[in-house]
Amino acid sequence: MGCMGGVTETHTGWTFLTSHARVLAAIAEDHRTRIRDIAARCRLTERAVQKIISDLEEAGYLTHTREGRTNAYRIVPGTILRHPAEAGMTVESLLSALAQHDAHRDGQPRSPGSVSS
């Protein structure tokens, strides 16, 4: 897709995870992460990450509090996923599945309860 805002996007075509899911997973891993770091990790622009965070907050999946010069995010773990095909699946169960996948891939154990602080 080219370079936009310092982010080079080399992937074309569709992906399994939406950008919203990727941003939520990045926040689940570090509740005090910076937008700049989320953008780098998710290969998005900072503006796109800000919009996604706004979407997630408006929909009730995420809240934030200001702590000095940074934000501390809180994921609302019992929130139900939006698509009818995922009826009954919560954000917590999605993030737990992603954490287990990452742990298996990285060979490092992750605590399954770490997604909702």
Side-chain angles (χ1 to χ4, degrees):
M1 286 188 148
C3 185
M4 193 161 79
V7 176
T8 303
E9 180 58 66
T10 57
H11 177 80
T12 58
W14 61 273
T15 62
F16 281 100
L17 296 180
T18 66
S19 295
H20 285 65
R22 291 177 201 274
V23 167
L24 203 60
I27 290 170
E29 191 168 293
D30 179 2
H31 293 279
R32 288 177 178 79
T33 189
R34 300 175 305 173
I35 286 176
R36 164 184 324 166
D37 297 329
I38 296 169
R41 174 180 171 157
C42 297
R43 304 192 66 159
L44 297 166
T45 64
E46 289 182 33
R47 175 179 261 172
V49 171
Q50 288 171 334
K51 171 70 170 105
I52 289 168
I53 287 172
S54 176
D55 289 347
L56 292 169
E57 286 186 322
E58 283 180 28
Y61 292 95
L62 187 66
T63 61
H64 79 273
T65 54
R66 196 78 178 151
E67 292 186 355
R69 296 179 62 192
T70 61
N71 288 323
Y73 298 98
R74 181 183 175 279
I75 294 169
V76 182
T79 311
I80 303 297
L81 299 183
R82 293 170 60 97
H83 196 280
E86 287 100 34
M89 185 175 190
T90 64
V91 167
E92 183 175 30
S93 58
L94 170 67
L95 293 173
S96 180
L98 291 174
Q100 288 173 15
H101 172 268
D102 286 351
H104 177 71
R105 183 190 64 201
D106 300 342
Q108 299 173 352
R110 298 220 175 134
S111 71
S114 66
V115 296
S116 62
S117 45

